[in-house]
Amino acid sequence: MIPKQSQYDLVIVGGGLAGLAAAVSAGEKHLTTLVLEKGRTIGGDGNYVEGAMGVDSYLQKQTGIHIDRTKLLQSELDYSHYEASAPHLKKLIDQSGATIDWLHDLGVKFSKVGGQGKSWPTIHSFAGGGHAAVTVLFEKAQALGIEFAMSTGAERVLMENGQVAGLVVMNEATGQTRDLKTNNVILATGGYVDNPELIQKRTPFFKRLLSVSDGKSTGDGMQLAWQAGAAHYQMGAIQYGGGAIYDRQQPPFVHMASQLAAAATQEAILWVNERGERFVNEDVNDNMCHAGGAILTQARTFSILDQAAIDHLTHVGLYKEVGNSPVSPDKFDQLQTELEHDTASGAKYLTKGATVEELAEKLNLVQLPETIAHYNQLVASGADADFGKAAPYLTGLSQGPFYAVELGVGMACALGGLRVDEANAVLNSHGYPVPGLYAAGNDAAGMLVGDTYAVTLPGSTAGYAAFSGRNAVQQIK
Ligand SMILES: Cc1cc2nc3c(=O)[nH]c(=O)nc-3n(C[C@H](O)[C@H](O)[C@H](O)COP(=O)(O)OP(=O)(O)OC[C@H]3O[C@@H](n4cnc5c(N)ncnc54)[C@H](O)[C@@H]3O)c2cc1C
């Protein structure tokens, strides 16, 4: 779609959660504004978001949740090893409740607020999911007169005398480019989780990482900003989604609602490495980023199920409550069917053995028989003297057939690459703003984290997207 004008007060690059929050704010300020969205649909990964972080929101007040902001800030700084920016994080925490209230007043509906695992109770779940929230924002922005150019990407920021002067934009269908004039650009392109080169720089475990994003978060914002003189700032954290079925033939979303995936990754059953050795307390999956890290320390990881576990999960119930997953919360009534189907179809991630020895031989898991014998002794003793897994999740393996499910690690977003100030202005390597250049959402969220995503503050990337999109617009006249 071709932009209607050649000059705007503001151009927002990216029509995801942060870009849409910025668009509505720009509409409220009566700025002539264009949103460029390189995809054919609006919302980016915002469409898949479960909920957004907030502190002191209307909903928390209604439900009697009070969070001590000073303690929250301190614990998040500790969690990030002080690699998060304290002033930036403090501003997010202080304004996150008001941001939730603003979204609510716009018509975004929230179904509940609470925690995830051992976290702060900050995640406000969107009624109808992220798609419902981005739809409200999109419609509101249009009603306020904001222009959207779909299938149109930003290619380059034009600078004049060290100040943003415009953008080169490209029609993704025709390849046609065009120059636009503007003195203000907000980059909100969703980070770099879909850019294998940039991800590879961040982690040596690249091959077993599976992006669950929509494929459009290719790091465009940071590259546009770097070309315009922005500093390269810590390629912060990857939001690991814990273990995921390592399927080399189909994309990860195929397994999103799979009970086999939930059993293998969420139930804290035995995990072994490429030699068949146990290497971690499997209930580490209380923290999806820690679980991802642990899995990636091994060359390969397999989750081992026996028939007794399958029967228990199918007919009796779960060993461990499944957190953020679309599968049944009570039982895995489709587990046996899924196993039979995947075995029959020759899925490479699934291996079946009538005995432990047969399974070990098929996968060359040399230590597996010994590992299982030792693990069963731990189960009988009632305590995991090796790695300290909680007693309720110690379940023995004795009844064949046995299955090994190979695990990789899902990743939802990658944060970092740019440094911004408290107004979300992008900074150069001297620590000063590149005049007219702002970043929001995942493009700027490296300011909030250290080496890992803050699972302890659930909803923080979505909460930050809404807060930072709005925050960037406040400075623009
Ligand atoms: C499956 C899944 C579930 C998630 N759940 C949660 C959750 O519950 N809570 C949470 O806090 N976070 C969650 N996240 C993280 C999520 O990425 C962020 O919360 C949120 O979407 C970030 O907003 P954003 O605007 O930065 O990026 P996005 O919402 O992804 O938007 C970026 C947009 O920019 C566009 N774009 C990219 N490059 C260009 C370009 N050159 N020109 C024009 N447009 C461009 C993209 O097409 C995209 O539409 C989840 C992510 C995934 C993948």
Side-chain angles (χ1 to χ4, degrees):
M1 208 184 286
I2 299 163
K4 291 185 187 136
Q5 297 173 208
S6 59
Q7 185 161 1
Y8 294 87
D9 293 334
L10 167 65
V11 178
I12 298 165
V13 184
L17 201 47
L20 288 169
V24 174
S25 303
E28 289 172 342
K29 282 188 76 173
H30 308 292
L31 298 171
T32 57
T33 302
L34 172 71
V35 179
L36 299 171
E37 170 49 57
K38 76 174 177 183
R40 279 174 294 175
T41 52
I42 205 76
D45 284 337
N47 281 303
Y48 315 122
V49 163
E50 182 202 339
M53 168 241 165
V55 176
D56 282 343
S57 70
Y58 82 95
L59 195 54
Q60 285 161 322
K61 286 174 192 151
Q62 274 174 16
T63 40
I65 293 174
H66 174 70
I67 295 173
D68 182 321
R69 292 186 200 184
T70 312
K71 283 191 182 147
L72 172 59
L73 177 63
Q74 198 63 54
S75 78
E76 288 303 312
L77 288 172
D78 284 344
Y79 190 80
S80 78
H81 304 144
Y82 274 79
E83 288 178 5
S85 156
H88 209 75
L89 193 51
K90 176 173 164 39
K91 190 166 184 187
L92 168 66
I93 291 169
D94 287 347
Q95 297 196 8
S96 58
T99 306
I100 295 288
D101 294 357
W102 175 72
L103 292 170
H104 179 65
D105 292 345
L106 291 174
V108 172
K109 293 195 168 51
F110 295 98
S111 56
K112 59 178 179 174
V113 60
Q116 281 179 344
K118 296 169 189 164
S119 78
W120 294 90
T122 55
I123 185 161
H124 296 65
S125 302
F126 293 120
H131 182 65
V134 300
T135 304
V136 169
L137 292 176
F138 182 42
E139 286 172 359
K140 184 72 187 175
Q142 285 178 305
L144 288 166
I146 303 301
E147 186 185 332
F148 285 81
M150 302 300 295
S151 300
T152 309
E155 289 290 295
R156 194 154 48 88
V157 179
L158 298 170
M159 302 292 290
E160 263 174 37
N161 303 321
Q163 151 83 45
V164 168
L167 271 174
V168 180
V169 304
M170 186 177 82
N171 181 312
E172 298 285 329
T174 62
Q176 207 177 358
T177 60
R178 180 174 167 190
D179 290 2
L180 292 178
K181 285 189 183 159
T182 184
N183 289 126
N184 299 292
V185 168
I186 298 177
L187 301 168
T189 68
Y192 60 96
V193 76
D194 298 312
N195 185 318
E197 251 175 65
L198 291 174
I199 290 287
Q200 205 161 359
K201 277 190 191 155
R202 155 85 178 110
T203 169
F205 311 113
F206 165 65
K207 285 199 177 120
R208 294 163 67 218
L209 285 171
L210 308 158
S211 169
V212 298
S213 150
D214 64 3
K216 294 180 286 191
S217 306
T218 46
D220 298 13
M222 54 212 275
Q223 295 180 84
L224 290 165
W226 291 338
Q227 282 164 6
H232 289 241
Y233 191 66
Q234 76 152 339
M235 302 286 282
I238 295 175
Q239 184 181 341
Y240 295 144
I245 286 188
Y246 186 40
D247 186 345
R248 278 158 271 194
Q249 292 161 310
Q250 304 174 92
F253 70 80
V254 170
H255 300 286
M256 286 280 263
S258 149
Q259 294 188 354
L260 176 58
T265 64
Q266 304 292 312
E267 289 304 293
I269 57 172
L270 178 68
W271 289 353
V272 298
N273 66 13
E274 63 282 358
R275 292 186 299 278
E277 293 163 345
R278 188 166 177 243
F279 60 92
V280 75
N281 54 310
E282 295 84 353
D283 57 355
V284 64
N285 61 16
D286 276 334
N287 179 320
M288 61 187 180
C289 288
H290 288 181
I295 289 170
L296 293 173
T297 59
Q298 308 302 304
R300 296 178 82 182
T301 301
F302 300 91
S303 183
I304 310 291
L305 283 154
D306 78 339
Q307 190 59 46
I310 294 160
D311 291 342
H312 185 96
L313 294 168
T314 306
H315 302 297
V316 182
L318 306 190
Y319 298 122
K320 191 168 187 286
E321 192 187 338
V322 172
N324 181 13
S325 166
V327 301
S328 154
D330 303 323
K331 286 178 196 159
F332 294 156
D333 54 357
Q334 295 304 307
L335 182 56
Q336 186 71 54
T337 314
E338 288 181 16
L339 278 162
E340 283 164 18
H341 172 270
D342 290 6
T343 308
S345 65
K348 289 202 171 22
Y349 51 81
L350 182 64
T351 307
K352 181 179 179 182
T355 62
V356 170
E357 287 70 23
E358 186 185 319
L359 187 66
E361 199 182 322
K362 280 186 175 173
L363 288 165
N364 199 27
L365 303 178
V366 179
Q367 298 296 323
L368 187 66
E370 206 175 300
T371 297
I372 289 186
H374 174 67
Y375 183 67
N376 284 342
Q377 283 172 1
L378 293 177
V379 173
S381 79
D384 178 7
D386 288 350
F387 298 113
K389 178 161 71 176
Y393 313 132
L394 286 172
T395 49
L397 294 98
S398 54
Q399 191 188 327
F402 298 85
Y403 296 86
V405 184
E406 183 155 12
L407 302 184
V409 175
M411 47 177 189
C413 55
L415 316 174
L418 296 177
R419 184 171 175 223
V420 297
D421 68 8
E422 275 57 85
N424 279 89
V426 174
L427 302 180
N428 65 23
S429 54
H430 299 280
Y432 285 86
V434 176
L437 194 60
Y438 300 83
N442 290 347
D443 286 351
M447 301 301 293
L448 309 176
V449 292
D451 60 355
T452 186
Y453 170 77
V455 180
T456 42
L457 194 58
S460 58
T461 41
Y464 183 68
F467 156 75
S468 59
R470 207 174 160 219
N471 189 43
V473 171
Q474 302 318 310
Q475 315 305 316
I476 298 169
K477 297 187 180 76

